[in-house]
């Protein structure tokens, strides 16, 4: 197994929770052999989620300011339940998917309409970038 394949497996284990649980199951014989690897992979997976959070916070600054610490908590819930987007625009896709998830999660709260408007306003430049438009008009 070469370095490239080892790195690919490490990334796969870091990103895919099901694969991680399958490979690093809690059988008694494997427990001692893989303890140090489990900790390293969990730390790496957590750092990747925190990196995603940092990028999404920079894109959704106003939403972060409006929600405060709840923004991070909600993103961590979203990240644990969703797949990591890929490609060049993965951070923008992640922001859009998180916004959609957040709107669904908060639909019964008193602030859901204001949150939906704020996210729509904040994501307008992202949608424009993704569709390569220079002008967009949004009515509220």
């Amino acid at each position: 197994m070469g370095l490239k394949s080892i790195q690919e497996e490490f990334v796969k284990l870091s990103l895919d929770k099901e694969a991680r649980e399958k490979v690093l199951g809690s059988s008694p014989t494997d427990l001692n052999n893989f303890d140090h690897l489990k900790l390293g992979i969990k730390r790496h997976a957590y750092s990747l989620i925190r990196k995603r959070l940092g990028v999404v916070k920079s894109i959704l600054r106003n939403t972060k300011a409006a929600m405060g610490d709840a923004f991070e908590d909600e993103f961590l819930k979203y990240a644990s339940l969703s797949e990591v987007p890929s490609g060049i625009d993965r951070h923008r896709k992640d922001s859009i998917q998180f916004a959609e998830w957040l709107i669904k999660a908060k639909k019964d709260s008193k602030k859901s309409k204001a949150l939906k408007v704020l996210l729509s306003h904040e994501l307008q430049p992202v949608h424009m970038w993704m569709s390569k438009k220079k002008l967009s008009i949004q009515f509220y």
Side-chain angles (χ1 to χ4, degrees):
M1 184 176 250
L3 180 61
K4 185 175 181 178
S5 59
I6 291 172
Q7 288 174 331
E8 288 172 355
E9 286 298 314
F10 184 77
V11 169
K12 180 181 175 187
L13 290 174
S14 296
L15 296 177
D16 189 359
K17 186 176 180 180
E18 291 176 9
R20 188 170 50 246
E21 289 173 353
K22 183 179 176 184
V23 171
L24 302 175
S26 59
S27 66
T29 57
D30 295 339
L31 195 58
N32 294 332
N33 296 336
F34 292 114
D35 274 347
H36 66 286
L37 291 175
K38 281 184 186 180
L39 184 60
I41 290 172
K42 284 182 181 180
R43 282 183 184 157
H44 190 256
Y46 186 73
S47 72
L48 291 175
I49 289 173
R50 298 299 293 187
K51 182 180 176 185
R52 285 174 61 195
L53 171 62
V55 174
V56 170
K57 277 197 303 192
S58 71
I59 293 173
L60 302 175
R61 285 185 185 109
N62 295 325
T63 305
K64 164 64 176 126
M67 291 182 67
D69 292 336
F71 183 90
E72 290 186 16
D73 296 337
E74 293 297 328
F75 185 84
L76 294 175
K77 289 177 196 173
Y78 156 77
S80 67
L81 300 172
S82 67
E83 294 221 4
V84 180
S86 60
I88 295 171
D89 290 328
R90 67 183 175 273
H91 301 301
R92 291 177 185 92
K93 290 176 188 174
D94 209 14
S95 298
I96 292 169
Q97 290 171 0
F98 172 61
E100 291 169 354
W101 181 88
L102 191 59
I103 289 168
K104 286 179 186 174
K106 299 292 182 182
K107 70 179 175 183
D108 294 330
S109 73
K110 294 178 183 178
K111 299 179 182 180
S112 68
K113 188 173 182 179
L115 181 65
K116 190 173 183 178
V117 169
L118 176 60
L119 285 167
S120 172
H121 173 73
E122 222 169 10
L123 287 173
Q124 195 61 30
V126 175
H127 288 295
M128 288 172 56
W129 174 275
M130 302 270 296
S131 61
K132 296 177 178 43
K133 292 184 180 178
K134 296 185 182 201
L135 176 66
S136 178
I137 297 173
Q138 180 77 27
F139 294 100
Y140 296 98

